[in-house]
Every structure is written in structure tokens, then in C-alpha cells.
Amino acid sequence: MLSRRNFLTAAVGVAAATGLAACAKEDDSSSAGSGGSKALVLGFSQVGSESGWRSANTDSVKAAAKEAGYTLKFSDAQQKQENQISAIRSYITQGVDVIAFSPVVVTGWDAVLKEAKAKKIPVVLTDRSVETSDESLYVTLVGSDFTDEGRRAGKILEKVIAKAGLKGQVKIAQLEGTTGAAPAIERAKGFKEVMDADHADDWKIVVSQTGDFTRAGGKQVMAAFLQSNPDINVLFAHNDDMAIGAIQSIEAAGKKPGKDILIVSIDGVKDGFVAMSEGKINAIVECNPLLGPQLMEVVQKVKDGETVERWIKTKEGDFMQDQAAAALPTRKY
């Protein structure tokens, strides 16, 4: 999926954080544009508002659309595929210029994408990928390499374990993202690649379950993990929000997060850095949510009929406890 020729990896360096607010207010549509020619109309369907990352991503898209002078028709799918399909069909009926969406899950999109293609409305994926029988049904993907994020989580866990002086069997609990979602599938895959290649004998995932990328889910599932597997000594969370929820259950069980249970997560939202500065999260693999500017650039090129068959690659950052204090001021979303 990630090797396809027209995949775009978004810029995710820490310097890209531009101070967007984290609490996006959902609305049906917003209009942005100054006089003159008719504004480009973009229909955008967001997964939901399940995490700090998602809220920052929504803010980035809205702000970038306004800056570009586009008319943005926005919908929140509330993590339901049927809501996204309904929103996309509404955009098709309205005759928007371009459709963009961040798919809840990877499968089940062919029918609605064929409807968009039949009406000659280009579709751009953002953040997450899909599996389709016909790749011509969408133009490109603006997002991150989730498999590589999983690999980097595995590699940074090696450093965390060495720094903590953990000896013996590494017993890992994995908090997965939403079942069927690209980041959940691919982050787990990348992490397992590192395990299988370098730690087949000393690392073991003893329990793994979805927490739906939410704090509440992370808290609930981690509580169950600790009851069934009280000897867990590592937690790999597919996002910061689940890790933060899990911390509450770890502390409720009388254990110290970051010490009794080492924690590695993915995202890099402000609350994640706060937990890391407090020593409760040991390391974070960054996945920057500020995809709005790149998305608007692609949308304009698509509307103008220009090629977008190119790669945008920049270095992604990983953070550990001793770097947290320096990192905090740069992360304002």
C-alpha cells in the first residue's frame, strides 16, 4: 500500500507545529473565500474527534482551507463508515470540485468511489489508506508511513529497555487502534517486524486488544489487561490518547507508569509530551497531524489537472523522557 507510486508522505518535523487549537468544533460546512472568481469547493469527511491528534488534524484542515480561500464542506463521521459513505454521496450530489476523506477503515469503499469517478469528481485520501480493487478510484494519499512508525516504535523500545535496565523476558501489552483502520493494521505490522527480526526470543506480546484510539478505551482495556496479565512490563500503545488512558489504570492498580510498566506510544500530542515530561510515558514516535497545507496544495493541483505523482518525504521525530522538556514549548496543538 505505502509503496504505490502516488503516495505522499506528509511533512511531520517538530518545526511544522504551527500553534493550531486542539479543540475543533464540528460543523456541517464552512465557507472561506474572498471576492473574485468562484472558490474551489472541497468536501471533506473526517473520521471523528476520538483523540487530540484528530482534533488537531481537523483544525489544520479547516485553517488551511480558509487560508487557501476554498469553500470547505466538512462532516464528522463519528467513527462510523456508513456516516462517511453518506457524506461522500452528499458531496457527489452537491457537485463539489474535490472530495477528500480520512477513511475509518481500509475496506468497503469501492462502490462510493465508483460513484464519484462516474461524476468526474476526484478523490484524495488523507491520513489513512484504503484497499480497493481499482487504484484509479482515488488520486493520491496525503499521510504518514504507519508501518514505519511501528518499526520505529520497536526500535525506540530497545533504547527504552536499555535505559531502564530491564532484564529478562519483555512482556508486552499492545493497545491497538480501531479494528480495520490503516494505522492500527500497519503500526502493529511494523512493530512485529522488529520483534520477529531482532527479539524473537526475549520479547512477547502477551495481550493485545483495540482501545479505539480513545482515552476511555485505553483506560478500560488496560484495566482488563492488568487483571489477566499482572506481570506486564511494557505497553505499546498505537496512539498517545490510549496510553494516557492506560496510565490511569496502571496507577489505579498501584503501579508506576514509565517505571513498573515502560510505555511507548505514537503521535506526539501535547498531553503525550506532558505525560512524558512527568516520566509516565518513556518514548513517543511522532506522527504530525498538521496535514492541512499539504492537502490543500494537492487539492489545487488535482483541480488544475496537474500531476501529483510524487513523494514528499521529511524526517519524523522520536522523543524520549530526557528530551521532553525541550520538546514541550514547540507543540502547541
Side-chain angles (χ1 to χ4, degrees), residues 235-249:
L235 170 65
F236 169 43
H238 286 189
N239 80 340
D240 290 347
D241 278 82
M242 289 191 296
I244 293 165
I247 285 169
Q248 297 177 48
S249 290

Side-chain angles (χ1 to χ4, degrees), residues 175-226:
L175 275 170
E176 305 168 24
T178 303
T179 302
I185 295 168
E186 294 164 16
R187 285 170 181 169
K189 176 184 175 184
F191 187 83
K192 192 171 186 303
E193 284 179 9
V194 172
M195 279 187 56
D196 291 347
D198 303 325
H199 299 282
D201 296 329
D202 57 326
W203 290 15
K204 182 180 180 182
I205 296 177
V206 296
V207 63
S208 183
Q209 186 176 322
T210 179
D212 282 329
F213 285 128
T214 68
R215 295 191 190 191
K219 180 180 180 180
Q220 180 180 356
V221 175
M222 191 67 197
F225 284 173
L226 290 168

Side-chain angles (χ1 to χ4, degrees), residues 271-324:
D271 287 353
F273 280 135
V274 170
M276 187 166 56
S277 71
E278 295 171 345
K280 296 179 180 182
I281 292 179
N282 301 84
I284 296 173
V285 174
E286 186 188 24
C287 177
N288 198 296
L290 308 182
L291 303 178
Q294 291 91 343
L295 176 60
M296 300 312 148
E297 178 187 349
V298 170
V299 164
Q300 187 63 61
K301 288 181 177 293
V302 168
K303 182 64 171 63
D304 292 343
E306 297 182 31
T307 180
V308 292
E309 294 176 353
R310 62 192 177 93
W311 288 75
I312 300 173
K313 291 184 178 180
T314 55
K315 191 176 189 293
E316 294 180 293
D318 301 333
F319 303 92
M320 295 182 68
Q321 279 181 359
D322 54 3
Q323 296 172 307

Side-chain angles (χ1 to χ4, degrees), residues 111-290:
V112 73
L113 292 180
K114 287 177 181 177
E115 293 170 25
K117 185 176 182 180
K119 294 295 185 179
K120 303 188 185 312
I121 300 176
V123 175
V124 176
L125 304 179
T126 178
D127 175 38
R128 299 179 176 187
S129 59
V130 300
E131 293 177 2
T132 176
S133 59
D134 180 1
E135 288 190 348
S136 73
L137 295 178
Y138 66 95
V139 179
T140 192
L141 164 64
V142 180
S144 302
D145 188 332
F146 297 133
T147 303
D148 190 57
E149 289 172 358
R151 293 189 194 105
R152 289 187 292 115
K155 298 306 289 185
I156 204 169
L157 178 57
E158 294 174 335
K159 297 177 182 179
V160 167
I161 289 171
K163 184 176 179 180
L166 179 63
K167 305 295 183 183
Q169 190 73 22
V170 176
K171 299 178 180 179
I172 303 169
Q174 180 174 231
L175 275 170
E176 305 168 24
T178 303
T179 302
I185 295 168
E186 294 164 16
R187 285 170 181 169
K189 176 184 175 184
F191 187 83
K192 192 171 186 303
E193 284 179 9
V194 172
M195 279 187 56
D196 291 347
D198 303 325
H199 299 282
D201 296 329
D202 57 326
W203 290 15
K204 182 180 180 182
I205 296 177
V206 296
V207 63
S208 183
Q209 186 176 322
T210 179
D212 282 329
F213 285 128
T214 68
R215 295 191 190 191
K219 180 180 180 180
Q220 180 180 356
V221 175
M222 191 67 197
F225 284 173
L226 290 168
Q227 287 186 349
S228 62
N229 295 272
D231 56 349
I232 293 166
N233 51 22
V234 168
L235 170 65
F236 169 43
H238 286 189
N239 80 340
D240 290 347
D241 278 82
M242 289 191 296
I244 293 165
I247 285 169
Q248 297 177 48
S249 290
I250 293 169
E251 291 177 331
K255 296 178 181 288
K256 293 183 177 180
K259 292 185 172 62
D260 297 327
I261 298 178
L262 306 177
I263 300 176
V264 170
S265 65
I266 298 175
D267 269 358
V269 300
K270 180 180 178 181
D271 287 353
F273 280 135
V274 170
M276 187 166 56
S277 71
E278 295 171 345
K280 296 179 180 182
I281 292 179
N282 301 84
I284 296 173
V285 174
E286 186 188 24
C287 177
N288 198 296
L290 308 182

Side-chain angles (χ1 to χ4, degrees), residues 64-78:
K66 183 176 182 180
E67 176 70 21
Y70 300 162
T71 295
L72 178 66
K73 295 183 177 293
F74 177 87
S75 66
D76 179 343
Q78 299 179 325

